[in-house]
Amino acid sequence: MTAAAIATHPRIDPSLCGAPVTVAPGRAEVRLVATPVMAADDHGLCHGGFVFGAADYAAMLAVNDPNVVLGSATVKFLKPVRVGEAVLARATCSSEHGRKRMVAVEVVREAGGEVVFSGEFVCFVLDRHVLAAP
Ligand SMILES: CC(C)(COP(=O)(O)OP(=O)(O)OC[C@H]1O[C@@H](n2cnc3c(N)ncnc32)[C@H](O)[C@@H]1OP(=O)(O)O)[C@@H](O)C(=O)NCCC(=O)NCCSC(=O)Cc1ccccc1
């Protein structure tokens, strides 16, 4: 289903962070199903960290480098996500300065397309893995 080989996050758990739908140069889409383990309360509100995780994963896939890391993010949680819903995180690289990659991410409900989250992710492409010995 994806158009480009995935070069990052080989051990990520798609049941927690979402599964890639599309990976193409400079953009990616990840689909997350909000499952009961993600519930924050008895109302079935999905914890925002999981929505953020899917958005982060989409941003990383848009950069798609084995040495990419997230530096910072500015995000808005615009609407609640309920357990049982599926959402799509769509990431697009907007600009590049040295090691920095700015990535815009929108998360929408799969049913209806309502925007539930938006964010700007600042990613860094390092010369070697962040955990590699200096
Ligand atoms: C690399 C960096 C983010 C920054 O490097 P440094 O040497 O400290 O930075 P440097 O001094 O070169 O400044 C350059 C420019 O950048 C600015 N600036 C500085 N910091 C930040 C910032 N945080 N955010 C935004 N901007 C920042 C600074 O002001 C300067 O701006 P200027 O150009 O003057 O306008 C470092 O802090 C780090 O490694 N953090 C941990 C990352 C991590 O663990 N992430 C989570 C886990 S990774 C994961 O999940 C993915 C994965 C999966 C699988 C496998 C692998 C990965």
Side-chain angles (χ1 to χ4, degrees):
M1 188 175 295
T2 56
I6 293 175
T8 186
H9 289 55
R11 293 183 62 89
I12 202 157
D13 184 341
S15 72
L16 297 176
C17 296
V21 176
T22 306
V23 180
R27 66 185 174 85
E29 182 175 84
V30 165
R31 180 175 187 266
L32 175 75
V33 178
T35 57
V37 295
M38 300 177 190
D41 62 20
D42 291 337
H43 293 271
L45 176 65
C46 176
H47 188 273
F50 294 98
V51 178
F52 180 90
D56 171 50
Y57 186 28
M60 295 286 156
L61 288 172
V63 177
N64 202 20
D65 184 287
N67 297 330
V68 63
V69 292
L70 179 64
S72 64
T74 305
V75 304
K76 289 180 185 169
F77 292 89
L78 300 167
K79 299 285 178 185
V81 173
R82 288 177 181 77
V83 168
E85 278 192 296
V87 294
L88 300 168
R90 294 176 178 146
T92 308
C93 293
S94 54
S95 65
E96 174 173 338
H97 306 284
R99 303 187 301 167
K100 274 191 205 174
R101 304 285 182 279
M102 314 301 287
V103 185
V105 185
E106 230 177 38
V107 182
V108 303
R109 295 193 207 282
E110 187 175 56
E114 185 178 29
V115 181
V116 298
F117 171 104
S118 68
E120 286 288 329
F121 288 71
V122 182
C123 306
F124 287 74
V125 175
L126 308 181
D127 292 337
R128 55 189 170 181
H129 192 274
V130 69
L131 293 179

